[in-house]
Each structure stands twice: as structure tokens, then as C-alpha cells.
Amino acid sequence: MLMYDIVSYTLLFLRFFSNTAFGFLYFSKLLTARSGKGYSFFIFTMVYLPFQIAAYIAFERIYYIDNIIYILLDIGILLLIQRILFKGDLGRELFAALSFAAGKELFILFIVVLDYHLLSDISDGIMTFLAENASEMFIRWGGALTFISFSIISIIAIAAYAVLLQTYLNLILKGLNGTNRVMTVSETMFLILPSLSSLCITIILKMMNTDEALVYYSIYDRFPNTRLWVPLADFLLICTVVASAMLFGRLMRYNEERLKRRLLESQIDRMEKEISEIRDIYSDIRGLRHDMHNHLSNISLYIKSIPEFEDKAVEDYIGQMRKTVDRLDFPFDTGNPVTDIIISRRTQEAEKNKIELKADFIFPGSFGIDAFDMGIILDNALENSIAACEAVAEEKRIIRLRSYVKGSLMFIETDNRFCGEIKTDPDTGLPVSGKSDSGNHGLGLSNIRRCAKKYMGDIDIEISADRFILTVMLRSMKK
């Protein structure tokens, strides 16, 4: 019996360690670790692994009331560990703990049927056949064969448990990938109800393994058909939890995509209104500047035509007026008033923040690119560059904007300094906004990519130690 106990407790420890390892990986991907993963995993293991061992010893003969207490303690300790080691909203933490606990309980029931009521029946049948036929091998090696059979069955069971649990958790993570915002109460309820239902059903099934006198018996022996229906129910419950996570993830990604489209449309409408108004002012200012230069030239010629009239103060005054009139014009002549206005406005914003913005940009009118699309690309790119430079030391606050054409392709490049860490969204491959209201920010690059794809192009991002280079490629739409 000693060898049987050694194998049983070894495999039991492996199951507990699998729970610990998979649980940590699950929580670290669903939530955000407060410190390094190595340190967090050590603390998680030192707390959760001893808890599982202690809980097994305390509830080794699980009656229904003990099982309820065990599940509540398990969820409680998981929530406590999450609060200490991870960051996340309460709804996400609650779903993580409940879905993990539900998965463990469901797969334990499944493995019980696989191990003790399918594989064990097959093994017992073989051993009975050998014994009844008085096989010489069984007489000599019966004890060893029984032990080997028990060990193989137990190893298969624990391996199946580990693979199924990991697959279940990975499917949930895949379904929720890219949904990082704080969940509402209704969203939390939508996610946790399948897990709660699964836990309640596992408690009921374990209650049915105990009679009124609290004497343990197996429901699978009394009702053999349950060997089929319990695993099937387990499978359907697991599918329900996974399907709810996948559906929730799709809904969240759809809503975020719809929000991005609305923001882009709103940005386009706002820019169209602003630029249409500024375009009129732009034309008026250029006309006024031209007329004022002519008036000042006429006044200067008239004064010079007056005999013996020399007044240095008047000449200086006219010179100052010429400089004032020159400032009425936009400092950039890109070939399109829309891009002139945007680059001029962002240059003024950069100067206020003590940022040097160097622009070498020409709008290729022959490419068939809509000026408003180009305006969205420039406005978002320069806005991101200015925001990044604000956190950099003043002597390093430099932004370079340039454009160039190669055949039927146009390239727009912004090069700016930044400091800190840039996190990338695994779903889109784009940097994530570090602003507190990231739900309404961080869409600039997404909008730039949308405009680029409209012209069969895309964006490329190059990040070095302290430089962020964004390159936008657009293809000519003129045949």
C-alpha cells in the first residue's frame, strides 16, 4: 500500500502544482501584475499551493457542506491573491477567480469518470480475466501488474486534467483578448453567471455521492448511465463558460471598433468644418496681405516722391508694418491650404511647449489623395509627436516631419523623441496610449492606419531607445 500512496500523493501534488502554475499564467494575462513575474509567481505559489494541500487534508472526505465551504475558501483566497499581486477592476478579478475555480471543479468530475470508472473498469476487466484463467504471468506478477496499471491510469488522468485545464483557460484568454477596459456591472454578471452555474452543479453532483447517513458511495456505481451524462454535462458547462467569454470579447471589440469609427467620423466632420472656415480666412488673409503690401509700397513711393522729405521714423514705421503684414501669412507652403493650416497650427502648438518642429512636407496634388484624409494623417501624427515630446527634456524636444515620393508611392514620416515605456496592443500591434482616459485616446494611430488602408497603404513604426519614427505609406490613386 505504501507504493500506491506514494504514487497517489505524488500525482495529487502535481495536480495542485498544475493548478498553481496555470492559475498564475491565467491571472497574469487577464490582469496586470503589480511587480515582476518571477516575484509574483513565487508569492502566488507560496500561498496557493499550501492552501490546496491544507484544504485537501481538511476536506478529504468531502460532504456537500464541506464542499461548499471549500469552494468559497478557494474563491476567497484567489481573490485575495489577485488583490495583492495583480491590478484590475473588481469585475474582471471576480470573473477570473470564478472561471478558474469552475474549470478545476468541472475537470475533476470529468477525470473521476475517466480514471475510476472507465480506465479502471478496463484494467479490472483485464486483471479479472487473467485471474480467472489462472495465467502463470498473473500468478507470478499479479501484484506488480496491478500497481503498474494503477500508476498508468493515474498518470493518464492527471495529464488529461492538466491539458484540459490549460486548453480551457487559453480559450477564455483568447476570447477576451483586447478587452482591457473596466467592466460594468451588467457585463460582469453576463460573464460570471455561467461559472456560478457550473460551480452549483458540481456541488449538486458531489452531494449525490453521499447518502442520508453521510456514508460515501459513488453515483456512477448506482446509476451507470451517469458515466455518460456527467461528462457530457461537464463538456456543455465548459463550453458555456468559454462561449460567454468569446461572445463578450467579440461584443467588446465590436463596440470599440464602432467607437473608433464614430470618433474618426466626428474628427473628419470637425476638421471639415474648421478647415472650410479657415480656408476662407486663409484666402482672405493672403489677399489682404497682397493688398497691404501694395498699399505700403505705394505709400513708400509717395513719401519718397515728396521733395526734401526725409523722416527716418516714418521709414521705420513702414518697415514694421511690412513685418506685421508678413506675419499674416502661413509660414508653410505645402501646395494645399488644408495641410498648410494643419502644419502651421501644430507648429504654433509645438512652439508654446518649447518643441522645435522642422517640416519638409509637400502635398502631391497629382496623387489623387483627398486633402481631408491627408489632414487626418498629419493632425494625428503631429498631435502624438507633440504629446510624446512634452515628457522629454527641453533640449531634446525635436520633431521632424517630411514627405517624399517614390514612383507611385508617397511616404510621410514623423520622427520624435520620447521617454518611458511604450506598450503594444497584441491585437492591433499598435502602441497603447499611456493617458488615463485611454478609452478616448490612443486612437490616433488607428485612424492614421484607416486612412492609409483607404489608399492601399499601411503604417510602419520604428522604436529605438528614445526615438519614435512613424512612416505612413500611401499609393497613388491616379491611373
Side-chain angles (χ1 to χ4, degrees):
M1 292 299 294
L2 178 61
M3 294 300 295
Y4 285 90
D5 290 340
I6 291 174
V7 172
S8 298
Y9 288 125
T10 300
L11 294 176
L12 190 64
F13 178 82
L14 289 176
R15 177 161 70 87
F16 292 156
F17 186 78
S18 298
N19 292 341
T20 304
F22 296 151
F24 175 79
L25 291 174
Y26 181 60
F27 297 143
S28 62
K29 291 180 180 179
L30 200 57
L31 307 171
T32 304
R34 294 183 183 274
S35 55
K37 284 192 174 181
Y39 172 78
S40 298
F41 179 68
F42 175 77
I43 298 298
F44 190 91
T45 304
M46 290 298 100
V47 175
Y48 194 54
L49 187 58
F51 164 78
Q52 293 179 89
I53 296 171
Y56 175 79
I57 295 171
F59 304 108
E60 185 175 3
R61 299 292 294 178
I62 297 181
Y63 305 129
Y64 74 93
I65 190 66
D66 296 330
N67 191 55
I68 295 173
I69 295 173
Y70 164 73
I71 290 176
L72 291 175
L73 287 174
D74 188 42
I75 295 171
I77 197 72
L78 289 173
L79 289 172
L80 178 62
I81 295 173
Q82 288 176 6
R83 277 289 164 178
I84 295 173
L85 298 180
F86 302 98
K87 291 184 292 184
D89 59 283
L90 182 60
R92 191 174 293 269
E93 291 178 358
L94 191 59
F95 169 73
L98 289 172
S99 59
F100 180 68
K104 286 193 309 170
E105 295 298 318
L106 289 171
F107 286 123
I108 287 172
L109 288 175
F110 181 82
I111 295 305
V112 165
V113 177
L114 172 68
D115 185 359
Y116 299 108
H117 299 283
L118 291 180
L119 296 179
S120 293
D121 285 353
I122 295 173
S123 175
D124 291 344
I126 294 173
M127 293 301 173
T128 301
F129 175 80
L130 292 174
E132 289 176 350
N133 289 274
S135 170
E136 182 179 348
M137 178 182 291
F138 181 79
I139 294 172
R140 181 177 298 180
W141 302 102
L145 289 174
T146 303
F147 174 74
I148 292 172
S149 174
F150 167 78
S151 300
I152 292 173
I153 291 171
S154 299
I155 291 171
I156 292 174
I158 194 65
Y161 172 82
V163 171
L164 290 172
L165 181 61
Q166 185 182 27
T167 303
Y168 162 79
L169 297 176
N170 285 340
L171 287 173
I172 292 177
L173 290 172
K174 184 178 180 181
L176 294 177
N177 185 31
T179 58
N180 299 318
R181 67 172 179 80
V182 176
M183 295 193 301
T184 63
V185 175
S186 58
E187 291 169 349
T188 302
M189 294 302 297
F190 175 82
L191 277 177
I192 69 172
L193 282 177
S195 298
L196 282 173
S197 301
S198 301
L199 288 170
C200 291
I201 291 174
T202 60
I203 291 173
I204 292 171
L205 288 173
K206 289 183 179 181
M207 286 171 58
M208 295 173 69
N209 280 335
T210 307
D211 64 13
E212 295 179 356
L214 296 181
V215 177
Y216 181 80
Y217 70 85
S218 174
I219 185 179
Y220 308 107
D221 293 331
R222 178 171 291 188
F223 306 105
N225 289 338
T226 55
R227 299 182 185 185
L228 170 65
W229 295 111
V230 169
L232 181 59
D234 277 357
F235 175 75
L236 293 176
L237 288 169
I238 289 165
C239 288
T240 303
V241 177
V242 172
S244 65
M246 289 186 169
L247 178 59
F248 177 80
R250 287 187 179 183
L251 289 173
M252 291 302 100
R253 285 188 289 272
Y254 171 76
N255 288 335
E256 289 175 3
E257 195 69 19
R258 186 171 62 177
L259 174 62
K260 290 178 182 179
R261 285 199 298 269
R262 285 181 177 177
L263 290 174
L264 178 59
E265 292 169 359
S266 175
Q267 186 180 34
I268 292 173
D269 291 340
R270 178 178 55 81
M271 286 188 64
E272 285 181 347
K273 291 177 182 178
E274 290 180 356
I275 291 174
S276 61
E277 294 174 357
I278 297 175
R279 181 184 281 174
D280 295 335
I281 299 173
Y282 178 87
S283 300
D284 293 341
I285 288 176
R286 287 208 157 173
L288 177 62
R289 176 178 175 272
H290 181 266
D291 293 341
M292 288 295 294
H293 271 296
N294 288 337
H295 288 315
L296 291 173
S297 296
N298 293 334
I299 292 172
S300 180
L301 290 173
Y302 174 74
I303 291 174
K304 289 179 180 178
S305 66
I306 299 175
E308 300 180 355
F309 182 86
E310 292 184 7
D311 192 331
K312 188 70 169 59
V314 173
E315 292 181 0
D316 291 342
Y317 180 73
I318 293 175
Q320 290 296 326
M321 287 187 68
R322 288 183 186 277
K323 292 179 180 179
T324 302
V325 171
D326 287 338
R327 286 202 299 270
L328 291 174
D329 199 8
F330 290 92
F332 297 97
D333 186 8
T334 65
N336 187 280
V338 173
T339 51
D340 287 354
I341 293 165
I342 289 173
I343 296 176
S344 299
R345 182 163 62 88
R346 290 300 180 184
T347 300
Q348 293 175 2
E349 182 182 346
E351 289 175 353
K352 290 179 181 178
N353 291 281
K354 299 180 180 179
I355 300 171
E356 181 182 1
L357 196 158
K358 299 179 180 179
D360 180 15
F361 180 88
I362 298 297
F363 184 90
S366 61
F367 260 57
I369 299 175
D370 189 277
F372 290 108
D373 291 331
M374 184 66 73
I376 289 172
I377 293 172
L378 289 176
D379 198 44
N380 282 290
L382 292 175
E383 180 184 18
N384 291 343
S385 296
I386 292 171
C389 281
E390 288 177 354
V392 178
E394 285 191 17
E395 64 274 9
K396 295 183 179 180
R397 294 182 180 180
I398 300 173
I399 300 173
R400 291 183 175 87
L401 167 68
R402 71 186 188 109
S403 67
Y404 54 94
V405 174
K406 288 186 177 180
S408 62
L409 299 177
M410 177 185 181
F411 296 88
I412 306 163
E413 182 181 283
T414 57
D415 182 350
N416 62 268
R417 299 292 183 93
F418 76 94
C419 66
E421 180 184 2
I422 294 181
K423 295 182 179 179
T424 303
D425 187 334
D427 196 32
T428 63
L430 299 178
V432 179
S433 173
K435 298 179 181 179
S436 58
D437 54 343
S438 57
N440 295 324
H441 290 280
L443 301 178
L445 289 173
S446 179
N447 286 341
I448 292 173
R449 172 172 277 176
R450 285 174 182 275
C451 290
K453 288 186 178 295
K454 181 178 177 181
Y455 297 92
M456 295 181 292
D458 205 344
I459 66 175
D460 178 70
I461 296 172
E462 181 182 344
I463 301 174
S464 61
D466 62 345
R467 289 178 63 190
F468 186 95
I469 302 174
L470 169 67
T471 304
V472 185
M473 185 193 76
L474 306 173
R475 189 179 294 274
S476 173
M477 301 302 288
K478 289 289 183 69
K479 296 182 180 179

